[in-house]
Amino acid sequence: MTRKIFLMLWQENFALHSIYIWQLGGIHMIYTVTFNPALDYIVRLDTLEVGGTNRVTFEKVMAGGKGINVSVVLGNLGQKSTALGFIAGFTGEEVKRQLREKNVSFDFVQLPKGFTRINAKVKAETETEINGQGPNISEAQWQALITQIDKTLKAGDTLVLAGSIPNTLPDDMYERILARLYGRGVRCVVDATKKLLLNVLKFGPFLIKPNNHELEELFDVKISTDEEYLSYAKQLQKKGAKNVLVSLGGDGAILLDEKGESHRSPAPKGTLVTSVGAGDSMVAGFLTGLAETGGDYEKAFRMGVAAGSASAFSKDLATRAEVDALLAQLGN
């Protein structure tokens, strides 16, 4: 009899616990997709003499690509994720080695030919980027990725699609993937530009993150006030986006959440080292904040701002200690 009562109480508590978890968005996994990963060769020098010989004062090789950056920062902040995409050659092996070193899980589609691209990020008087092309991807290979996503993601999971599409992939890859996941309870985050972004709004992405320049480009306007940013963010919501996070560089960020509430934060104080990975870190910080607070948009927003700034102020991507220090500066 006692055993029966104990079992009934356990079942009741388990059910209540399950309901509680579901209300918080469910126990879910985060997946990031990087269609064209890279090794980022980051160099700094005092001045860049075009046509001459230049000596760098700092150099670093980092596994990169927007989705990979999101996964790395998620890991730094204590959130597990799995990086998806395509990988190839000796440079691809180095990307995987670095991710293992950072305890980031991955499940890439391995390409038999070519090599993962190398991007040069040059910081002198200004920032200059030289991005490689990447390997050729056949129809069978990109279909394999779509099938992998289709079979792997479950209701409550989050998928982050970030960055450009290689020229060997169909230009509607984002649409194909979101169409497969539409109506299945998967939270889709899209960090892309122009038509890549506009064409997926009909699928109701959970979060989009244009920066100020990208928002102006989307509407072919010049924006100068917070009210104008919010006005255009509302237009993106009307097209289907649930949450619109607009990064403003040194001026901070603005969030229009799915409840119709707006949030504004200045950027924390610090010295800009590089903008590489700052936007990706903002996405990772926002998702971490949501997970840790059970869906508090204001706190998630501030963690996103702090994470983006922490990466901008560092030679590497944001760490938990750096984010927490900037959160304290923001009064969180």
Side-chain angles (χ1 to χ4, degrees):
M1 184 68 176
T2 304
R3 185 169 177 268
K4 183 177 181 181
I5 292 172
F6 175 81
L7 181 60
M8 290 173 63
L9 288 172
W10 182 88
Q11 289 172 332
E12 182 179 353
N13 287 333
F14 180 80
L16 288 172
H17 184 62
S18 298
I19 291 171
Y20 176 69
I21 290 172
W22 177 254
Q23 288 173 338
L24 293 186
I27 295 177
H28 64 274
M29 282 294 298
I30 301 175
Y31 298 88
T32 66
V33 175
T34 308
F35 294 109
N36 208 0
L39 281 181
D40 288 339
Y41 178 52
I42 301 168
V43 299
R44 282 196 280 279
L45 56 165
D46 297 327
T47 60
L48 177 63
E49 182 185 346
V50 178
T53 300
N54 296 272
R55 304 289 181 185
V56 304
T57 59
F58 170 88
E59 61 183 347
K60 186 179 182 70
V61 177
M62 290 175 58
K66 294 180 72 62
I68 285 176
N69 291 340
V70 173
S71 276
V72 170
V73 178
L74 281 170
N76 290 349
L77 297 179
Q79 298 296 314
K80 292 183 178 180
S81 71
T82 299
L84 307 176
F86 304 99
I87 211 79
F90 72 101
T91 46
E93 290 304 311
E94 175 61 14
V95 168
K96 292 192 289 186
R97 188 197 67 79
Q98 290 194 21
L99 292 182
R100 288 191 196 98
E101 194 174 68
K102 296 176 182 294
N103 294 316
V104 174
S105 298
F106 56 83
D107 190 9
F108 295 118
V109 174
Q110 184 73 45
L111 304 180
K113 296 180 180 180
F115 60 92
T116 293
R117 64 183 175 150
I118 300 172
N119 296 335
K121 313 286 186 178
V122 183
K123 178 68 183 294
E125 301 92 337
T126 58
E127 287 187 348
T128 302
E129 296 188 16
I130 305 172
N131 292 340
Q133 286 188 319
N136 290 328
I137 303 167
S138 70
E139 181 176 352
Q141 289 158 351
W142 60 254
Q143 287 284 7
L145 176 63
I146 290 180
T147 300
Q148 178 190 32
I149 292 170
D150 194 24
K151 290 183 176 180
T152 302
L153 274 82
K154 306 290 188 297
D157 289 343
T158 298
L159 179 68
V160 180
L161 293 174
S164 60
I165 294 177
N167 56 18
T168 55
L169 291 183
D171 58 11
D172 63 348
M173 276 292 288
Y174 275 48
E175 293 174 76
R176 291 174 188 240
I177 291 172
L178 265 69
R180 289 283 193 101
L181 299 175
Y182 187 60
R184 289 171 46 181
V186 175
R187 299 193 307 183
C188 294
V189 177
V190 180
D191 186 4
T193 60
K194 301 179 182 177
K195 289 183 178 180
L196 278 180
L197 178 59
L198 288 176
N199 290 344
V200 300
L201 295 181
K202 58 191 175 188
F203 298 111
F206 173 73
L207 173 70
I208 61 173
K209 194 209 66 62
N211 63 33
N212 51 340
H213 304 300
E214 291 164 350
L215 191 62
E216 290 176 336
E217 192 175 40
L218 282 173
F219 291 98
D220 193 24
V221 294
K222 185 68 178 176
I223 305 174
S224 57
T225 68
D226 288 356
E227 290 73 19
E228 290 174 333
Y229 282 118
L230 286 171
S231 175
Y232 288 108
K234 287 177 182 177
Q235 291 190 45
L236 293 175
Q237 274 192 338
K238 288 178 181 178
K239 293 177 182 293
K242 291 182 172 61
N243 298 285
V244 183
L245 177 57
V246 183
S247 55
L248 306 175
D251 292 326
I254 292 175
L255 170 70
L256 180 63
D257 70 32
E258 62 182 328
K259 301 173 185 176
E261 297 178 0
S262 62
H263 311 262
R264 178 71 165 94
S265 175
K269 294 179 181 178
T271 301
L272 175 66
V273 175
T274 177
S275 62
V276 176
D280 312 322
S281 301
M282 180 176 282
V283 170
F286 183 84
L287 293 176
T288 299
L290 276 185
E292 291 184 351
T293 63
D296 187 317
Y297 282 121
E298 174 64 23
K299 291 182 178 179
F301 169 62
R302 290 189 177 277
M303 179 165 278
V305 173
S309 298
S311 286
F313 300 159
S314 173
K315 294 177 181 178
D316 209 329
L317 294 172
T319 65
R320 184 75 202 212
E322 292 167 340
V323 173
D324 286 344
L326 294 183
L327 270 175
Q329 188 187 128
L330 291 173
N332 222 32

